[in-house]
Amino acid sequence: MIVDCHVHPTSPPDQMLHYADRMSIDKLCLSLGPHFIQQPTPEQVEADNDFNRRLVEVYPDRFLAYANLNPNYLEHSLREIERCLVDGPFIGIKLWVAMRCDHANCDVIAERIAELGALVLQHTFYRTGGNLAGESSPADLAALADRHPQTTFIMAHGGLNWEKGLKTVIEQENILVDTCGFDPEMGYTEMAVRLLGAERVVYGSDGAGRSFASQLAKVYGADITESEKTAILGGNMERILGL
Ligand SMILES: [Zn+2]
């Protein structure tokens, strides 16, 4: 089974599934919404989550979804977790660039996610020229994950500057890394497996902003074992989500 742990519903779903079928991708995990809003209002957060919930309802065998949250609105975030994860089909939450995750509001959110046994997909960058005001670095995520060992995090993009990003989170065994959001450079997957172990690496594409094929190539083309590739392409997400 191939599970894409990180996609965005920015293309029509039929088109996205058409290309997913060509690459034998079984399941796609939706994140954010049809528009990228850096500082969404509660109403915009709810609209994103309603949008993704509908896709999960229409294509229950293909789409899974993370609830979008803006942690600056803590009470609203906790209500959205109830609405989407407790009373709805969502598998976890996605945190983007509204607030750095090493903030007390994210502690409250991470605790609730641990209670639910759900996932946190956290955008992380070590951005050349400096991060955005609310943008998390791998160090921010390592600090949060240290305080919440029962919460499972996926560090999106490996931190972009991935050599530095991967080294930052070696000790936090509750952090996995995905494979997306940067060019299909050689060596990423090998280094992630060497430093973290294959059980902490999950395939994601960041589609529709990236092609499935170019991101899958990071796994298929990596100098690792077949069983490590199987785990990264879907086995790890199957295990974590109990698919
Ligand atoms: Zn993304």
Side-chain angles (χ1 to χ4, degrees), residues 6-8 31-32 36 94 96 121 123 156-157 178 180-181 205-207:
H6 185 155
V7 301
H8 300 281
S31 140
L32 303 180
F36 292 89
K94 168 68 185 280
W96 193 34
L121 176 61
H123 167 97
H157 319 309
D178 74 18
C180 68
S205 67
D206 222 358

Side-chain angles (χ1 to χ4, degrees), residues 110-120 144-153 173-175:
E111 272 310 291
R112 184 67 185 124
I113 293 300
E115 288 169 5
L116 298 173
L119 267 174
V120 180
L144 178 69
D146 261 341
R147 299 196 294 272
H148 302 281
Q150 302 306 317
T151 310
T152 302
F153 300 90
E173 293 186 359
N174 52 329
I175 297 180

Side-chain angles (χ1 to χ4, degrees), residues 67-128:
N68 189 14
L69 301 180
N70 182 341
N72 285 293
Y73 303 99
L74 180 56
E75 289 307 317
H76 180 261
S77 293
L78 295 173
R79 283 204 304 277
E80 274 304 270
I81 289 172
E82 297 304 306
R83 188 174 79 94
C84 296
L85 277 71
V86 177
D87 301 328
F90 288 65
I91 60 169
I93 61 167
K94 168 68 185 280
L95 301 176
W96 193 34
V97 296
M99 172 185 270
R100 284 173 58 185
C101 64
D102 187 17
H103 183 288
N105 285 11
C106 294
D107 284 300
V108 179
I109 291 169
E111 272 310 291
R112 184 67 185 124
I113 293 300
E115 288 169 5
L116 298 173
L119 267 174
V120 180
L121 176 61
Q122 173 67 59
H123 167 97
T124 62
F125 267 8
Y126 280 130
R127 190 187 288 270
T128 306

